[in-house]
Amino acid sequence: MDEKPEGHTDGIHKEDQGKPVEVEEMHSLNISKDDVNKLEEGNKEDKDDKHVEQGERMNKDGDLDSKAQEEVNETTREDLAEEEQEPVFDGTEVPGMQANRSSSTRSLDPDPEEEGSVWPEKAVALKNFVKEKGAAVTSVLRRLSLKRDGVEQANVDVDKDTSDSAKLGEQAAMSPRIAERSAWNPLNYIKVSRDTDSESKAEQGKNIIEESLLPIATKGRIILYTRLGCRDCREARLFLQRKRLRYVEINIDVYPSRKLEIEKVSGSCAVPKVFLNEVLIGGLSELKGLDESGKLDEKIDFFISEAPSPEAPLPPLPGEDDVSDNGPVDELAVIVQKMKATIVVKDRLYKMRRFTNCFLGSEAVDFLSEDQYLEREEAVEFGQKLASEHFFRHVLDENLFEDGDHLYRFLDHDPTVSSQCHNIPRGIIELKPKPIAEIASRLRFLSHAIFEAYASEDGRHVDYRSIHGSEEFARYLRIVQELQRVKVQDMPREEKLAFFINLYNMMAIHAILAWGHPAGPLERRKLFGDFKYVVGGSTYSLSSIQNGILRGNQRPPYNLMKPFGVKDKRSQVALPYPEPLIHFALVCGTQSGPALRCYSPGNIDKELMDAARDFLRAGGLIVDLSGKVAYASKILKWYSVDFGKNEVEVLKHASNYLEPTDSEALLEIIADAQLKVIYQPYDWRLNC
């Protein structure tokens, strides 16, 4: 199926960079089927002659021995793994369905050393292997055979790609190496070393932590008191990290009760303050003074072997200064708790379908009539009030609540909620829901503290290991539990933008800590589509937040369907139109993503413009004036529809956030219709 690239403009050429063997590059070749057929016809005779010659040689020499066959199978599996690099954005993706395609001039000429002297035997074995396994490796064989001729195949048939992708999954299941690489283990892919060569990382395939970066093993404890927005506090963190000293940070803005503690010991609540066990070292100047005099090393040597005394400051305690568990009791929640324990909840049939953990509307009405001393009509109205508060819902969303044989299910009994949502505890929260503005404010405040303490100053690197064991993250988990029954429909645009951007960024961190960093497209599909939160009685994945809420319910890249259907209640929460600058604020834990920062509703538009400037000026859009080439992030390609109707409009939009001189030069080249666009390879590695 041939498609003309969306937004094609004369005079502008698209070109991708990247590894020539990646399927993303193969799919993105802008070559028509007629051109491909000509290539095939031009090489058909040579290939047939070679295959016949190889087949005769194979008949003479006999079959390959088991060792050679195993080597060929392993090579094929590795190539299949390489072919599986198509980016996946959520659980509804159809691989190979691309709206925009671009060409690549990267050659697939083989390396003579890699090709080896046994190539003819491998080619014949691969031919036999394809006959046995079917079409799953057809594209692989074509690519490998064309290596010898220096020709690149560029057939992008959509149906074939979809079929190949499904069978690649079966091949991956057969390969222990791929199965081991795809196995998810929390923190398994989080590496401390950020500067390790990418090739060595791929070869080793394990966590590599250089000994020089490991913290010093100590019996003592370092407590660092800080506060938000403190420059000296940031310097104190970096100083301790350079010294390879593990420390516990206590932010007195997050833990206000600790102000009295440091004031009592030091006579002042000024920060930073550093304690080695029970000994007060002082602030940043005292710390540097001890280091310059050489006395700090003596204290550290003593600190390494000496355990803290009872007088030493303690790390943050679970639930310390946390208001998540405070508040008035919700009387409706108490009634629902009793109702849940009284009525019959079981699997039932409804409209020729089986639904688990359901109850009848008539049974709920019976309970409410008896428990609340209500007439039957009044009990139905009361049940509708409970349903509107998201305690339960109809299994098919046919109505809010009615008497009769309709089936309803409690929120925590919903299969999607119980299996995929990670912010809902067992049972029903009995506290009255807090206003969404209050929860959003606490979430923003806590996110700011986490990013300051556990992310680099530029927001490009995140210390996931430290976040995982921090009390701040534990408090975050308690905060997001309060989102189950909040009201989000009536949030103003600015508050909705800031809330869902901050929630997305923290939710992505939570997903990586819970499931591990995705190693490939299938894992990314699971992370973006299956890791969910309950917000206001509805479930949201990372993809539905980005594409459903923040992009105004737009189709995700490589998808055929919108996140929310016509009858989906979540469409009432979605913004009325896409917000293009959110793509420079949403961080899903990749190296090529934007910087991690916190956003506030009162200044959201300026902060989003700052994020766009930082991202595009830091390499998101590089203009080579002499070569008249623009090197653009693939974010501008994947979400081009949000920035403009065609590539020219996308580049003009992006030019607004470049340096003034670069912006003027880019616009001049665009006006002359001489610009060539190269989309940079996207680095999916973890931003640690």
Side-chain angles (χ1 to χ4, degrees), residues 123-278:
V124 176
L126 281 174
K127 183 177 180 181
N128 296 333
F129 183 77
V130 170
K131 289 181 179 179
E132 297 176 1
K133 300 301 180 182
V137 293
T138 302
S139 60
V140 180
L141 178 61
R142 182 179 293 113
R143 178 170 60 79
L144 291 178
S145 62
L146 291 180
K147 272 187 176 183
R148 187 168 182 82
D149 300 326
V151 181
E152 180 173 351
Q153 175 67 19
N155 189 356
V156 287
D157 186 274
V158 174
D159 296 333
K160 181 175 178 299
D161 289 342
T162 305
S163 175
D164 288 350
S165 299
K167 294 188 177 182
L168 283 176
E170 298 177 2
Q171 283 296 111
M174 297 171 57
S175 174
R177 178 181 300 179
I178 298 176
E180 179 181 358
R181 185 173 60 188
S182 301
W184 280 24
N185 183 15
L187 307 179
N188 189 36
Y189 298 96
I190 298 177
K191 302 177 178 62
V192 173
S193 176
R194 300 169 184 164
D195 299 326
T196 307
D197 184 74
S198 58
E199 294 182 0
S200 63
K201 286 184 178 180
E203 293 176 358
Q204 294 170 2
K206 298 180 180 179
N207 291 340
I208 302 176
I209 304 176
E210 297 181 1
E211 294 183 0
S212 60
L213 296 177
L214 287 173
I216 300 174
T218 64
K219 293 183 178 180
R221 179 172 61 230
I222 298 178
I223 297 291
L224 172 64
Y225 288 91
T226 63
R227 72 183 318 156
L228 293 177
C230 175
R231 186 74 186 181
D232 287 347
C233 296
R234 185 177 292 111
E235 291 293 329
R237 292 189 196 101
L238 296 176
F239 180 89
L240 294 175
Q241 291 169 5
R242 287 193 295 266
K243 289 292 184 179
R244 298 167 53 201
L245 296 173
R246 191 189 303 275
Y247 61 92
V248 177
E249 181 171 344
I250 301 179
N251 191 311
I252 61 175
D253 291 329
V254 180
Y255 306 100
S257 62
R258 293 301 185 104
K259 292 181 182 179
L260 300 176
E261 185 175 42
I262 60 172
E263 188 174 5
K264 180 180 178 181
V265 176
S266 63
S268 170
C269 60
V271 291
K273 286 287 192 304
V274 179
F275 283 82
L276 266 63
N277 289 339
E278 67 278 3

Side-chain angles (χ1 to χ4, degrees), residues 416-417 420-424 507 510 515 526-534 539-542 544 570:
T416 301
V417 172
Q420 296 182 353
C421 295
H422 294 258
N423 71 322
I424 183 166
M507 186 176 171
H510 184 189
W515 285 1
K526 183 177 178 64
L527 186 107
F528 292 143
D530 292 348
F531 191 94
K532 299 178 180 179
Y533 280 175
V534 179
T539 60
Y540 294 89
S541 65
L542 291 170
S544 61
R570 296 175 296 178

Side-chain angles (χ1 to χ4, degrees), residues 39-202:
L39 286 174
E40 290 180 345
E41 291 174 2
N43 294 280
K44 183 176 180 181
E45 295 182 0
D46 293 340
K47 292 180 185 177
D48 291 342
D49 293 342
K50 290 178 182 179
H51 289 167
V52 170
E53 181 181 355
Q54 293 166 354
E56 293 176 353
R57 186 184 306 171
M58 195 65 187
N59 292 333
K60 293 179 181 180
D61 298 338
D63 296 336
L64 289 173
D65 57 19
S66 58
K67 182 176 181 181
Q69 184 68 33
E70 182 179 356
E71 180 182 359
V72 172
N73 292 347
E74 184 65 26
T75 302
T76 305
R77 293 190 184 100
E78 293 176 358
D79 291 325
L80 286 173
E82 292 177 355
E83 290 285 348
E84 200 182 32
Q85 296 304 312
E86 179 72 15
V88 180
F89 292 86
D90 68 357
T92 62
E93 162 152 1
V94 181
M97 299 295 291
Q98 292 182 321
N100 295 318
R101 298 173 185 168
S102 55
S103 63
S104 173
T105 58
R106 292 291 299 273
S107 174
L108 287 181
D109 293 339
D111 186 350
E113 296 180 1
E114 294 180 357
E115 192 175 17
S117 60
V118 295
W119 172 250
E121 289 78 4
K122 284 190 176 183
V124 176
L126 281 174
K127 183 177 180 181
N128 296 333
F129 183 77
V130 170
K131 289 181 179 179
E132 297 176 1
K133 300 301 180 182
V137 293
T138 302
S139 60
V140 180
L141 178 61
R142 182 179 293 113
R143 178 170 60 79
L144 291 178
S145 62
L146 291 180
K147 272 187 176 183
R148 187 168 182 82
D149 300 326
V151 181
E152 180 173 351
Q153 175 67 19
N155 189 356
V156 287
D157 186 274
V158 174
D159 296 333
K160 181 175 178 299
D161 289 342
T162 305
S163 175
D164 288 350
S165 299
K167 294 188 177 182
L168 283 176
E170 298 177 2
Q171 283 296 111
M174 297 171 57
S175 174
R177 178 181 300 179
I178 298 176
E180 179 181 358
R181 185 173 60 188
S182 301
W184 280 24
N185 183 15
L187 307 179
N188 189 36
Y189 298 96
I190 298 177
K191 302 177 178 62
V192 173
S193 176
R194 300 169 184 164
D195 299 326
T196 307
D197 184 74
S198 58
E199 294 182 0
S200 63
K201 286 184 178 180

